[in-house]
Amino acid sequence: MLGYWVRRLAEGGLVAALTATSPRRLGSPAGGPKLTGTNPLAIAIPSSDGDPVVADVSMGKVTYGAVLAGLADEADLVPFGEESSHKAFALAVGLQLLVDALAGEEHGVVLVVARPEHDPVPAFRALAGGVRLPGD
């Protein structure tokens, strides 16, 4: 639920990206040991129309919270994407090492916040033509 935090920042007019690591729960789709956490990434972009776009995604097919709640089996805790799961795994590795490099090898958080120089969301919403965007 990192999206909650970046949404609050976007509602205040700021661009935000937030990621966090967790215990190593995802292995490579090719096999081997668990190397990364599910390493969610949340990105929020404010908008002059008042509705920020908020993307909040975990790199796992399921979340560990779903496993704890009994809604998913731990065997489903793999990178998402089926035959393209190597892409989610690559992003999980990148986020893992980014946080490790900046916050240390223990579980950590990296938050980037900036003032936007542009307002791309209204034009993007118009281009989307009514398609539901992340965070709507």
Side-chain angles (χ1 to χ4, degrees), residues 45-49 51 53 118-131 133:
I45 310 299
S47 176
S48 62
D49 71 7
D51 293 319
V53 170
H118 305 280
D119 185 22
V121 174
F124 193 83
R125 284 190 188 284
L127 181 65
V131 171
L133 296 177

Side-chain angles (χ1 to χ4, degrees), residues 42-78:
I43 300 170
I45 310 299
S47 176
S48 62
D49 71 7
D51 293 319
V53 170
V54 180
D56 184 4
V57 63
S58 165
M59 300 311 121
K61 179 179 175 183
V62 300
T63 65
Y64 190 64
V67 172
L68 292 176
L71 302 173
D73 189 83
E74 195 161 351
D76 291 327
L77 201 50
V78 296

